Amino acid sequence: MVQKVDSNTSFLNNQYNQLKKEISKQHVFSSFVTNPGYIKPEPAQGYLLKRRNLLSSAAVCTKDVAKDTLELAKATRTGKSNDNALGRLNDLGLKLGGAGIAAYLFAKKGSKTKNLMEIVGPMTFFTSMAVWPRLLIADPIKRRFGFDIHQKYIDSQGRKKSFFQDNQYLPWSIWPEEDIDKIGDKMGVKKDIPERRELIKEKMRATALQGNTLWMLTAGFSPLMTSLVCNRLEKGVTAAVINHNAAKALEKVNDMPRALSTMLDDPNFDKAAKNELKELTKRYKEAGIAPDEAYFEKAAELLNPTRLLLASKDVDDAKITANLPNYKQGIIENLKKAYSQACQKDNKEIVMNFDDFVEQLKDLKTKDSLGNGIDLKETIIPAFEKIATTTKEGAKTIDCTAAIGELQRLSRDEGIKVDRSIARPLEKSIHKIIETQAQKPANIAGYLDDVQKLYEISTRPITARLKLYADTVNPLVGQKYESVYTKDYLKSAEVFMDELKAGMNPEVWGYDKLRGSKDLCGKYLQESLSAKVACKNGTYAEFIKKITDAQEGFESAKVTKAAQDAKDYTVKSFHEFFKATGENFADVETLKAMDKAGKKGKLSSAFNFFESIMTNGKGKNANASVLDEAIDLFTQTSRTSVAASSHRLVLAADLEKRIESGLLQKQWKQLGGSEENFAEVVKKCRQIMYDTTMNDVSNTFHINENKKTTRQILKLLFGSDFAPETVENANTAVMSAITETKKGIAEVINSVDDLARPGASKVEGFANAAKMGVTPKGRYFKIGLAPSDLIMQNASKAFNDKHWMKLFGGIAIGVAAVTLITQHFFGKVKNEELYQKGGIKKEGVQNAK
Amino acid sequence: MATVDKTNNNKVNIPQNAYYKSDDVHKKLSSSSDKIIKKTPLTGAKIVADKLTKDIFTYAPKGMMGSRNSNFYEFLSLGLIPNIVGSAMLIALFNAANKSYKMPDSYFASIGGKKMGFGVAFYAVGKWLGNKMIDKGVNALTGVDLEMPYRKVVTELPEYPGDKDLTAIETHKVFESADFPRWDLLNKMGEEQGDRYVWYDKIAKRMGFKEKLNSPDQIVQPRVRSMIVKARAAKAISAPLWAAFGVALASQEPFGRKLLAKGGMGVNIKKTLKNTVAGAKEVFVENLGNKKDIKKTISNIFSASKYKELAGKKDLVVRDTGKIKLLGTGKNLLLATKDSFVQLFKNDAKDVTRTSKYVGRGLFALAALSTVFGILNTTRGFKEGKHLPDTQIDTKKEYEVM
């Protein structure tokens, strides 16, 4: 209760401190002497953590990442940390690196599956790094001995550590003794050993060390596990992507107009291009520079309606535009044209100083038609002087455009005085002057703004339509990677390969042999199919049913119709868009307002250009635009190629049936073929049916001397009826499609004389060569893949997959087996007998039950 | 300001003379106990090779036997094995089966395989480089070598009755622990040179203290301790970023090309290597003026004809075909790296998007930034001597420790 601080206080305090120090010394000394057990280490604050299942340990892992990040920030800022925390940063870095790699590879173009796998891959890798040691080492040991060699604990400072991390520092004080006893029971340690607990601990230590060493020796194999897992996952990912996209596409197809307006209303749609164009415009406007090559290049790139699809991350998207011309160059030209028009318009208003004007004309040496030199000063300059005006400031100026008008008037009215041969070059010179003056046209900003508006008026609506088309058609019938068609095609090919393999001797017809030779594949097909047809009808019926059922996907009315609807709507909406020009199309009003007095202005010409490139120059009333054809081609070809390749397998089987049942011979007779060399005909039939490619169609058949026979054989193959067994047993929907394909093949073969000449079709019904189906590309697709090629491709693929799996699956199984077997020898302690003899003999040990 | 003549021991209580130098017993002890190793350019490689050998022949068997002598150092050293096996495994997964495929499958598979192989290699190189740059940068700015190695003599328990080999040698780093840096070894190193504080004085001088301090360790130690922490934090971020950039580089088209040059491997690899290095040096010096045209310089360095030309002058052996192969491959590799770098930056490969441009450049920028920031952050405030009074401890003043 010191109320006043006087000079004695500090002295007293000092005295008091001295006293306290002495007392404390006394206390330590006395307690040390009297009770040596008094000084004890503080009880451990740490505790063991519960083992978690994989899912919740993933959650904990996320939490740890957050903690480590905070620790990293702290270490970076303050420079204060500890070894444990710093060690953990390595794991954080590993994850950061993984994320960096995934981000870069994900950003690259590819199918959606590929991109997703870039994310799934590293995740699987980190998971397998955690799962591999747990599944193969920690879990078996846990089951056998009842403890986890990766046991985690929280130390007295609250840091999370691994109990057995350091073999020479094991904080046993935090491991409950009853638990140790229980582990001893599981380990089969005898209960009457004096130093039982010590022996158990020693065994645990040895086991954990052995387990951890084994982990280090086998951890390098986790990429193997990752790879095997990803191999399985990839199929699932593809299926999920296809299903998801197809569902979305079908939903959009249900209400295409709404989907389109949603897209157009979405401010984020193609936002990048819009913003870039805005930036570009702003940059040129602010700098006040006239549009140059770089500007036209960039602006055309951004105005190109196919840009969005070409730049898409999804490789399938770009394929939609494969049949469309490259618009960029055209857009550049038209932008330039519009620009020069804009300049011309500005030229009319070019007014310049009269003396400067005369100065620039002075050097001109002009001769009239008779070759006499003309003095401009006498004739024309005075005339110009007359139309010159004087400004308020007193400067004499002349309107260049008016000067041209005057010149024209002079040559017209006073032709004798001002010869045309003088007026013409003079006019050109004035134009030149104007042009040099017009390098900075009055209204650059206006032009730039107009170009920017062009994006909203033309590019965006067209882009949206194309994108919508890509979004709806690609997931359904797109040609590559991820579409319902691709999935069904691969599945049907797989079924076919399996069916074909059944009953064939793998020694002779192994995939390792088939993958190398197309000839062998043809023989294999014949051999297998003959075996199928030679058996009782049941077998053939089953076979046909199975392979046609597998193909049902292509003919799924839902998918085909949806793709058709999407195509129809897209074509329709393009027509509407172009037709609306000048009538009820809202944006056109804006367009008109921008073009002064409705004359042929800058923007409408550019817009007209868009219209014309999109409709192939036929204008807004064109019934078939380039787009129509391109879109039609895409939809059709993607369907037909997949269908034709698969259907040819059925056709091949049908041929064998016809040969076997004698139907073919009958049909041959009906066609009037000679009986003599029927065996030769059969051989030829098989050759065409199994091996024919588009090249064969164009080259072999038509260069063949015996053209007539070939035509007859083709008619026999594709123009005659199916074997009744085929029609009866096949899937009905597929059968009608197969009939279509058959007809298509016959048509193409008939229509083509020479593949090297595109559009070389003379056959009735295909007058318009540019029309679908007889373009070279279309023909290829209609013919499809030869069955022997298909078998070779699939055999090769199956072989590769199997070979890889055999190699690495084998290694994986080997490593796993060695890992598991090695553990059998764990937990043995040297000189175990010492624990039984040594130490103070106690009266048994307290054990848990 | 207190200046202390360190040869005069009477003025300070801290023992400053080197008793290791005079005392025979201590000298002997010194040679059989922990000691800082003198660094040469190949020390790092030697240490890694030594660790790997020991991993296979000592640490792994010891661990699998459950030896009591296995320690945490050995466990950490074993970490080399999964790195090597894992890298080999990754490369094998994408390459081993390719040869069994037929064309064109094998060709397309080999493109991915090559990229993966280089990706693995570049990951390792990137990580090594990321760590190295920070260490070297910090060393250059402060004189503190965070990688300073020391040899540790560990005394072990006998493994069996009559086991006489009871010592094991480990290679550690003086500053590997932030909690317990081996200050004692720095003192010992100094004592052997006649002054316990040799190292500290050197660092204190770099810190801006113009005159020798009485107790430089008290100034230097906390500073170095925080440098250890900051450098390790920086390396934990920087190294993986460089590694990721390495992988991005290897994923470019040039690394899918055939890079192995034609020509058989020479018999005398050692000679080949020696000549190659000597030759490369010659051509490099000759081409120094050619700075702008990197491609030409590289191609000159690795062109066989250039060597033949030089061979006359410099007496370099160019007969062996191995060298031509080695040179060609080296050239291809360097050019591929350069081309990949350009491709990644220009973002002009077939499979790029706008995003990949920014991610690729961003990865490089982040990695470079993390290195620069890491070095600057680690050395921040290091020159404290310039801003503080010359010494914080006045030796003339007496303190009472309560």
Side-chain angles (χ1 to χ4, degrees):
Chain A
M1 286 264 131
V2 183
Q3 300 230 326
K4 220 171 87 185
V5 182
D6 59 5
S7 58
N8 288 336
T9 322
S10 68
F11 170 76
L12 277 174
N13 269 345
N14 251 342
Q15 286 288 9
Y16 172 70
N17 279 340
Q18 288 288 342
L19 203 64
K20 221 172 96 181
K21 206 168 153 190
E22 283 305 314
I23 290 167
S24 127
K25 268 184 194 168
Q26 285 282 336
H27 179 67
V28 170
F29 181 72
S30 65
S31 60
F32 182 68
V33 172
T34 53
N35 185 13
Y38 176 76
I39 302 170
K40 270 187 183 172
E42 282 185 19
Q45 302 283 311
Y47 54 92
L48 295 181
L49 284 171
K50 262 191 193 164
R51 195 166 196 253
R52 291 171 180 277
N53 63 31
L54 279 171
L55 219 81
S56 72
S57 60
V60 170
C61 174
T62 318
K63 208 174 115 195
D64 283 351
V65 166
K67 261 190 191 167
D68 291 345
T69 313
L70 286 177
E71 184 62 37
L72 175 80
K74 194 190 126 200
T76 306
R77 202 163 43 85
T78 62
K80 279 182 189 133
S81 188
N82 56 68
D83 286 339
N84 179 265
L86 288 173
R88 295 178 61 92
L89 293 185
N90 279 334
D91 287 351
L92 189 70
L94 198 65
K95 284 175 187 123
L96 181 74
I101 295 168
Y104 183 70
L105 297 179
F106 178 76
K108 285 193 153 192
K109 244 181 218 180
S111 64
K112 287 202 179 69
T113 306
K114 182 229 147 208
N115 279 327
L116 279 175
M117 287 312 285
E118 304 292 4
I119 306 288
V120 174
M123 275 163 66
T124 318
F125 181 68
F126 287 117
T127 314
S128 78
M129 288 234 293
V131 168
W132 173 279
R134 182 165 172 168
L135 231 53
L136 286 174
I137 302 173
D139 276 356
I141 290 177
K142 168 107 181 157
R143 265 199 298 281
R144 202 170 142 210
F145 295 144
F147 77 101
D148 181 10
I149 61 165
H150 296 144
Q151 179 67 50
K152 297 274 189 299
Y153 73 101
I154 301 289
D155 75 356
S156 298
Q157 276 78 45
R159 293 171 300 201
K160 195 190 207 174
K161 287 178 177 173
S162 188
F163 190 90
F164 294 103
Q165 187 173 275
D166 185 347
N167 182 49
Q168 295 184 336
Y169 175 76
L170 301 171
W172 285 116
S173 53
I174 61 164
W175 203 302
E177 298 196 327
E178 300 87 54
D179 289 357
I180 293 181
D181 290 338
K182 274 186 205 162
I183 293 164
D185 293 347
K186 265 203 141 178
M187 281 179 157
V189 179
K190 284 180 200 155
K191 300 211 172 183
D192 56 351
I193 298 169
E195 299 287 344
R196 185 171 194 257
R197 227 166 246 156
E198 287 309 309
L199 178 59
I200 299 167
K201 286 180 190 170
E202 176 62 9
K203 272 177 171 286
M204 284 168 77
R205 181 199 62 76
T207 309
L209 173 65
Q210 287 165 327
N212 279 335
T213 310
L214 187 64
W215 172 32
M216 280 298 115
L217 293 179
T218 54
F221 293 97
S222 45
L224 188 64
M225 189 179 168
T226 312
S227 210
L228 292 169
V229 170
C230 281
N231 235 13
R232 307 302 306 169
L233 281 181
E234 195 168 358
K235 281 178 189 157
V237 169
T238 311
V241 166
I242 291 172
N243 288 342
H244 174 253
N245 288 352
K248 251 170 68 181
L250 287 173
E251 196 189 312
K252 279 184 185 167
V253 173
N254 272 340
D255 194 351
M256 291 285 274
R258 214 193 63 196
L260 183 64
S261 68
T262 315
M263 206 177 247
L264 284 170
D265 290 343
D266 181 7
N268 285 324
F269 173 72
D270 206 16
K271 196 177 164 191
K274 193 180 165 187
N275 288 348
E276 257 186 80
L277 194 62
K278 212 169 159 185
E279 275 297 305
L280 187 77
T281 311
K282 202 176 140 198
R283 208 170 68 227
Y284 274 79
K285 250 160 107 176
E286 276 174 4
I289 18 172
D292 50 11
E293 281 300 324
Y295 171 83
F296 291 126
E297 180 82 13
K298 187 77 197 167
E301 189 194 316
L302 296 170
L303 286 174
N304 188 353
T306 57
R307 187 201 59 91
L308 186 69
L309 293 180
L310 286 170
S312 168
K313 227 164 95 65
D314 194 337
V315 281
D316 274 341
D317 270 357
K319 291 194 186 308
I320 293 272
T321 62
N323 298 317
L324 293 173
N326 182 11
Y327 296 130
K328 196 179 155 187
Q329 208 47 45
I331 297 174
I332 291 180
E333 278 161 24
N334 276 272
L335 285 179
K336 281 185 182 168
K337 215 157 84 188
Y339 178 66
S340 69
Q341 276 174 16
C343 286
Q344 266 174 28
K345 199 173 173 198
D346 290 335
N347 291 347
K348 284 172 192 161
E349 291 140 22
I350 283 183
V351 175
M352 62 187 292
N353 191 304
F354 183 72
D355 292 336
D356 291 346
F357 181 70
V358 173
E359 187 71 22
Q360 287 191 41
L361 287 179
K362 205 173 71 182
D363 293 339
L364 201 72
K365 286 189 179 107
T366 318
K367 286 178 180 177
D368 65 8
S369 49
L370 298 172
N372 301 321
I374 299 290
D375 191 356
L376 292 176
K377 271 182 192 163
E378 279 178 18
T379 52
I380 296 163
I381 301 288
F384 282 165
E385 212 161 354
K386 271 182 208 161
I387 61 160
T389 48
T390 314
T391 58
K392 281 177 194 167
E393 291 86 26
K396 211 191 240 176
T397 56
I398 182 165
D399 182 346
C400 297
T401 327
I404 292 176
E406 177 67 11
L407 197 62
Q408 283 164 351
R409 192 190 64 78
L410 283 174
S411 85
R412 197 171 57 240
D413 299 349
E414 299 175 43
I416 307 153
K417 216 169 161 188
V418 185
D419 198 292
R420 273 181 72 82
S421 58
I422 305 167
R424 270 284 174 78
L426 208 56
E427 203 180 314
K428 265 189 191 168
S429 307
I430 298 173
H431 270 302
K432 241 180 205 164
I433 293 170
I434 289 170
E435 257 171 49
T436 43
Q437 289 292 316
Q439 265 174 3
K440 38 179 187 351
N443 197 8
I444 296 177
Y447 172 78
L448 293 172
D449 281 341
D450 288 350
V451 172
Q452 197 189 324
K453 274 170 197 150
L454 202 58
Y455 170 81
E456 282 293 334
I457 295 166
S458 301
T459 308
R460 199 163 184 267
I462 297 173
T463 307
R465 282 163 173 83
L466 282 174
K467 176 77 179 133
L468 179 64
Y469 179 62
D471 284 352
T472 46
V473 174
N474 262 338
L476 301 175
V477 300
Q479 272 167 298
K480 268 208 161 172
Y481 306 118
E482 288 150 348
S483 70
V484 177
Y485 259 41
T486 312
K487 190 181 79 181
D488 289 340
Y489 170 65
L490 292 176
K491 201 182 95 198
S492 76
E494 215 171 274
V495 169
F496 182 74
M497 291 298 281
D498 285 349
E499 283 299 311
L500 221 51
K501 204 166 81 178
M504 297 295 282
N505 182 3
E507 293 286 317
V508 189
W509 306 110
Y511 284 169
D512 54 331
K513 296 188 183 69
L514 289 178
R515 75 197 174 108
S517 155
K518 190 180 166 175
D519 278 355
L520 199 66
C521 287
K523 278 179 197 144
Y524 171 68
L525 185 64
Q526 187 193 330
E527 194 88 0
S528 179
L529 287 178
S530 326
K532 291 256 160 6
V533 288
C535 281
K536 280 178 190 168
N537 204 15
T539 320
Y540 178 73
E542 236 171 62
F543 172 71
I544 284 289
K545 190 164 166 19
K546 263 189 191 159
I547 61 169
T548 48
D549 279 351
Q551 293 176 4
E552 200 181 354
F554 313 136
E555 311 314 331
S556 153
K558 205 168 142 200
V559 171
T560 318
K561 194 181 167 292
Q564 190 64 32
D565 286 352
K567 187 214 103 183
D568 289 346
Y569 176 76
T570 308
V571 171
K572 201 179 102 196
S573 75
F574 272 117
H575 283 238
E576 274 171 7
F577 175 68
F578 291 120
K579 273 195 176 160
T581 323
E583 285 164 30
N584 50 359
F585 184 50
D587 279 336
V588 176
E589 291 309 313
T590 334
L591 199 70
K592 273 185 187 168
M594 284 187 292
D595 288 346
K596 280 173 201 164
K599 280 182 187 170
K600 193 174 184 184
K602 325 161 232 184
L603 260 179
S604 60
S605 89
F607 181 80
N608 286 342
F609 159 71
F610 267 105
E611 190 190 73
S612 87
I613 54 171
M614 288 290 176
T615 57
N616 204 13
K618 286 172 192 159
K620 59 190 172 195
N621 293 320
N623 284 323
S625 68
V626 174
L627 276 171
D628 291 3
E629 280 168 20
I631 288 169
D632 209 22
L633 193 62
F634 183 82
T635 317
Q636 290 293 330
T637 50
S638 52
R639 271 199 65 228
T640 35
S641 65
V642 166
S645 303
S646 303
H647 291 163
R648 276 184 72 171
L649 303 172
V650 184
L651 289 177
D654 176 65
L655 173 69
E656 285 301 329
K657 189 72 209 171
R658 272 150 73 192
I659 295 170
E660 191 256 355
S661 65
L663 179 65
L664 193 77
Q665 199 160 6
K666 249 188 251 167
Q667 289 168 333
W668 182 244
K669 236 187 267 174
Q670 280 169 9
L671 285 170
S674 76
E675 292 265 359
E676 283 170 35
N677 46 2
F678 183 67
E680 203 47 40
V681 171
V682 170
K683 203 178 146 200
K684 192 95 190 161
C685 280
R686 280 184 173 138
Q687 193 198 334
I688 294 172
M689 198 54 110
Y690 297 162
D691 301 332
T692 296
T693 61
M694 189 61 211
N695 281 333
D696 297 334
V697 170
S698 56
N699 300 327
T700 326
F701 302 156
H702 297 279
I703 300 168
N704 201 323
E705 315 156 353
N706 206 347
K707 213 168 175 175
K708 199 186 154 206
T709 323
T710 314
R711 294 264 169 198
Q712 233 170 358
I713 289 174
L714 290 174
K715 210 165 185 188
L716 173 68
L717 275 173
F718 301 107
S720 309
D721 290 340
F722 290 101
E725 292 89 344
T726 312
V727 185
E728 279 161 25
N729 295 306
N731 184 306
T732 336
V734 177
M735 202 58 216
S736 63
I738 291 174
T739 317
E740 279 298 305
T741 304
K742 196 172 159 189
K743 227 167 86 188
I745 295 174
E747 275 170 358
V748 172
I749 291 174
N750 277 329
S751 71
V752 178
D753 263 357
D754 184 0
L755 182 79
R757 280 195 298 129
S761 53
K762 298 169 188 165
V763 182
E764 63 288 346
F766 289 101
N768 184 359
K771 241 190 161 178
M772 229 300 298
V774 275
T775 57
K777 210 172 174 179
R779 281 187 220 129
Y780 265 108
F781 290 133
K782 276 208 159 182
I783 291 285
L785 202 61
S788 55
D789 277 328
L790 188 136
I791 289 172
M792 197 165 79
Q793 278 179 14
N794 279 290
S796 184
K797 195 171 153 276
F799 170 84
N800 294 353
D801 287 354
K802 205 177 155 193
H803 179 76
W804 189 91
M805 202 43 111
K806 218 168 140 188
L807 184 63
F808 292 107
I811 296 175
I813 291 170
V815 172
V818 169
T819 310
L820 288 172
I821 292 166
T822 317
Q823 289 163 32
H824 192 67
F825 305 100
F826 282 9
K828 293 204 167 60
V829 171
K830 265 185 209 167
N831 308 325
E832 221 169 281
E833 69 283 357
L834 290 177
Y835 291 88
Q836 299 181 12
K837 289 178 201 161
I840 311 146
K841 192 115 185 163
K842 285 181 190 166
E843 296 292 324
V845 177
Q846 292 271 312
N847 272 329
K849 289 164 209 168
Chain B
M1 195 197 88
T3 51
V4 177
D5 180 8
K6 288 207 173 156
T7 50
N8 187 348
N9 300 333
N10 300 331
K11 285 190 178 175
V12 279
N13 292 328
I14 309 157
Q16 302 230 344
N17 59 347
Y19 47 90
Y20 275 110
K21 207 173 183 181
S22 51
D23 191 334
D24 279 348
V25 180
H26 278 122
K27 250 188 182 174
K28 205 181 167 191
L29 198 65
S30 153
S31 65
S32 65
S33 61
D34 302 359
K35 199 181 174 187
I36 290 173
I37 305 169
K38 208 173 174 193
K39 244 177 150 183
T40 62
L42 283 178
T43 308
K46 271 184 191 160
I47 290 172
V48 172
D50 185 51
K51 262 190 191 175
L52 188 60
T53 324
K54 281 184 175 157
D55 274 348
I56 298 166
F57 296 107
T58 314
Y59 302 157
K62 257 167 95 178
M64 289 308 288
M65 300 293 285
S67 164
R68 263 197 170 276
N69 287 318
S70 279
N71 59 23
F72 192 47
Y73 169 82
E74 294 181 3
F75 178 66
L76 289 183
S77 298
L78 279 174
L80 259 181
I81 292 183
N83 269 326
I84 292 170
V85 176
S87 302
M89 203 69 235
L90 261 177
I91 297 173
L93 279 166
F94 283 79
N95 286 290
N98 294 357
K99 273 187 184 161
S100 317
Y101 304 162
K102 72 181 182 67
M103 284 296 268
D105 296 357
S106 60
Y107 172 76
F108 288 113
S110 84
I111 292 177
K114 275 180 212 150
K115 285 184 180 175
M116 178 49 83
F118 283 110
V120 169
F122 276 35
Y123 185 92
V125 171
K127 210 168 169 189
W128 175 81
L129 207 68
N131 284 326
K132 205 81 189 162
M133 281 192 289
I134 289 188
D135 285 330
K136 289 279 171 200
V138 169
N139 193 1
L141 289 177
T142 65
V144 179
D145 180 9
L146 291 172
E147 297 287 284
M148 191 191 284
Y150 76 90
R151 193 195 58 185
K152 187 177 183 180
V153 183
V154 181
T155 312
E156 296 186 323
L157 295 168
E159 293 275 353
Y160 48 88
D163 184 4
K164 284 194 179 139
D165 182 19
L166 294 183
T167 51
I169 305 291
E170 295 173 356
T171 320
H172 289 256
K173 284 165 192 161
V174 175
F175 301 117
E176 72 190 353
S177 165
D179 296 334
F180 307 105
R182 292 294 302 268
W183 307 119
D184 58 320
L185 294 177
L186 291 170
N187 292 351
K188 192 172 156 188
M189 179 177 75
E191 276 158 7
E192 280 172 357
Q193 293 171 32
D195 182 354
R196 168 180 282 199
Y197 290 142
V198 165
W199 187 82
Y200 292 111
D201 283 339
K202 197 180 88 188
I203 305 302
K205 204 174 166 190
R206 291 290 291 267
M207 284 171 81
F209 295 102
K210 282 170 202 123
E211 314 227 0
K212 273 195 177 180
L213 302 175
N214 283 341
S215 312
D217 54 346
Q218 292 192 31
I219 300 287
V220 172
Q221 282 183 2
R223 171 62 58 193
V224 171
R225 210 186 278 268
S226 100
M227 275 165 65
I228 296 171
V229 171
K230 284 179 177 178
R232 275 189 69 182
K235 282 192 269 188
I237 297 304
S238 187
L241 282 174
W242 280 112
F245 177 70
V247 175
L249 208 59
S251 76
Q252 305 299 317
E253 279 161 9
F255 282 106
R257 286 185 213 144
K258 194 174 181 291
L259 294 173
L260 207 63
K262 278 180 190 168
M265 210 59 190
V267 187
N268 194 342
I269 294 174
K270 202 174 166 187
K271 205 171 172 183
T272 305
L273 270 171
K274 204 176 148 193
N275 282 339
T276 309
V277 172
K281 208 171 146 193
E282 284 298 328
V283 187
F284 186 70
V285 171
E286 199 174 77
N287 278 281
L288 269 182
N290 218 349
K291 272 178 200 159
K292 274 181 192 164
D293 198 347
I294 303 168
K295 205 165 181 169
K296 201 176 166 192
T297 311
I298 293 174
S299 124
N300 268 344
I301 288 177
F302 289 97
S303 89
S305 62
K306 197 78 191 170
Y307 271 81
K308 277 175 192 150
E309 197 184 293
L310 269 170
K313 275 198 282 183
K314 301 283 175 190
D315 196 28
L316 292 168
V317 185
V318 285
R319 280 193 302 274
D320 37 349
T321 49
K323 177 147 81 192
I324 292 167
K325 182 176 183 143
L326 208 65
L327 289 176
T329 310
K331 180 170 99 181
N332 291 347
L333 263 176
L334 269 180
L335 287 179
T337 312
K338 191 200 132 240
D339 290 349
S340 295
F341 201 78
V342 173
Q343 194 174 60
L344 187 128
F345 265 81
K346 283 192 178 164
N347 201 40
D348 59 0
K350 271 180 205 157
D351 56 348
V352 294
T353 59
R354 278 162 61 89
T355 329
S356 70
K357 180 167 152 185
Y358 299 123
V359 178
R361 288 180 184 184
L363 216 50
F364 178 73
L366 269 182
L369 216 67
S370 70
T371 301
V372 174
F373 175 77
I375 294 170
L376 292 181
N377 185 46
T378 306
T379 58
R380 184 166 50 111
F382 179 74
K383 303 262 179 203
E384 64 181 59
K386 282 188 174 166
H387 315 296
L388 284 175
D390 288 329
T391 177
Q392 286 182 314
I393 300 164
D394 187 353
T395 47
K396 279 175 189 160
K397 197 174 172 185
E398 287 200 0
Y399 291 90
E400 189 201 350
V401 181
M402 272 186 42

